Amino acid sequence: MATEKNQPSVHEQLVSARIRGRIKAAGVRFHANDNIAAFIEDGELEQLQAEVQGKLAAVLESLVIDVESDHNTQDTAKRVAKMYLNEVFRGRYQAPPAVTEFPNIERLNELMIVGPITVRSACSHHLCPIMGKVWVGVMPNEHSNLIGLSKYARLLEWVMSRPQIQEEAVSQAADLLMQKLQPDGLAIVMEADHFCMHWRGVKDMESKMINSVMRGSFLRDANLRREFLALISQRQRG
């Protein structure tokens, strides 16, 4: 039943409206590449998937696809909704992965490089795939935290599994790793194929985008920066 002001009650609202209402009340940004897991209550992700499925079915109808008799598309809306919320965009809806941090007992202070780590994302402009590789350089200090090698991949996947643009994704990943590791310096380089260029527009199959973020000692020390870039360049050629 609607309220006295003819507005739907909380329980009558679409689940997306309830979640959006909580986010707005908290004054928090909810762009395509933001994580909103803290505002999703138990059971609501399944409800959100059902809502997305219904709206995708309407998109297919507007594309004049006969999903009733076309056996290939009868379950497409359901499959795509599940894929968006639980796989390719799960970094928006899932809490960050658990990462155990260890103190730097041995006081390691030499350059460490992790990569290439394969990452997958989607362009927030066209929702076309972004497929690439990331290299991470870390310059620890005696107060830094250390994490396992697999945790770099998990953290990067959590950031990348959202509608993104590459420049912002790399910056977000750097912020997250700086927070977790507290190193003297951090460097990230990403090289990726963008299917919004391969499938549409110029349809250029050869172009890639490479960008980097340097923090701390990598930004201040040109020799350290050159060493990192030279080492990953050797790895790329090899």
Side-chain angles (χ1 to χ4, degrees):
M1 176 179 289
T3 65
E4 293 181 0
K5 294 182 179 180
N6 294 318
Q7 295 295 321
S9 70
V10 170
H11 295 292
E12 290 175 319
Q13 289 178 343
L14 292 172
V15 65
S16 62
R18 296 202 302 270
I19 296 169
R20 186 180 295 107
R22 292 183 203 121
I23 298 171
K24 287 185 173 181
V28 175
R29 197 184 82 165
F30 56 106
H31 291 183
N33 61 351
D34 290 325
N35 179 272
I36 60 171
F39 300 95
I40 300 175
E41 297 181 355
D42 289 344
E44 286 187 334
L45 197 59
E46 292 79 8
Q47 297 171 37
L48 188 60
Q49 181 178 318
E51 180 184 329
V52 173
Q53 177 181 335
K55 293 187 175 183
L56 284 168
V59 170
L60 294 173
E61 182 179 358
S62 293
L63 290 171
V64 198
I65 296 174
D66 184 1
V67 296
E68 292 183 4
S69 62
D70 179 4
H71 62 280
N72 288 318
T73 56
Q74 284 174 352
D75 291 323
T76 294
K78 179 179 180 180
R79 286 190 292 263
V80 174
K82 182 179 180 181
M83 177 186 71
Y84 277 172
L85 270 67
N86 298 308
E87 295 179 276
V88 295
F89 299 153
R90 69 187 301 273
R92 294 202 78 232
Y93 307 104
Q94 303 288 339
V99 175
T100 302
E101 298 148 22
F102 304 96
N104 185 7
I105 299 296
E106 297 297 327
R107 299 190 176 187
L108 302 173
N109 62 353
E110 299 292 339
L111 172 61
M112 301 187 299
I113 298 177
V114 182
I117 298 170
T118 299
V119 293
R120 301 164 185 84
S121 190
C123 167
S124 52
H125 297 158
H126 297 94
L127 300 187
C128 287
I130 298 172
M131 310 289 287
K133 295 185 182 298
V134 172
W135 289 261
V136 179
V138 179
M139 179 59 71
N141 60 51
E142 60 182 284
H143 304 296
S144 296
N145 297 319
L146 304 177
I147 63 175
L149 292 179
S150 65
K151 303 306 187 292
Y152 287 92
R154 291 186 184 183
L155 291 170
L156 285 168
E157 179 190 21
W158 184 66
V159 170
M160 295 295 173
S161 295
R162 309 168 192 178
Q164 285 279 14
I165 66 169
Q166 184 172 331
E167 305 95 307
E168 293 179 358
V170 172
S171 183
Q172 278 188 324
D175 290 342
L176 180 62
L177 290 173
M178 284 293 290
Q179 176 188 353
K180 293 287 184 185
L181 302 174
Q182 297 295 313
D184 264 356
L186 181 83
I188 299 182
V189 170
M190 179 173 174
E191 177 184 81
D193 291 298
H194 289 247
F195 282 67
C196 56
M197 287 189 67
H198 295 350
W199 282 355
R200 56 165 300 282
V202 296
K203 297 181 181 178
D204 184 343
M205 299 299 292
E206 301 300 324
S207 294
K208 296 179 184 290
M209 180 176 181
I210 302 173
N211 72 311
S212 66
V213 169
M214 305 286 168
R215 300 280 171 84
S217 55
F218 285 93
L219 198 58
R220 298 188 302 268
D221 188 338
N223 290 329
L224 176 62
R225 187 163 60 249
R226 279 194 293 268
E227 180 184 0
F228 168 69
L229 294 173
L231 287 170
I232 68 169
S233 179
Q234 290 176 13
R235 179 66 176 80
Q236 286 176 294
R237 291 195 302 270

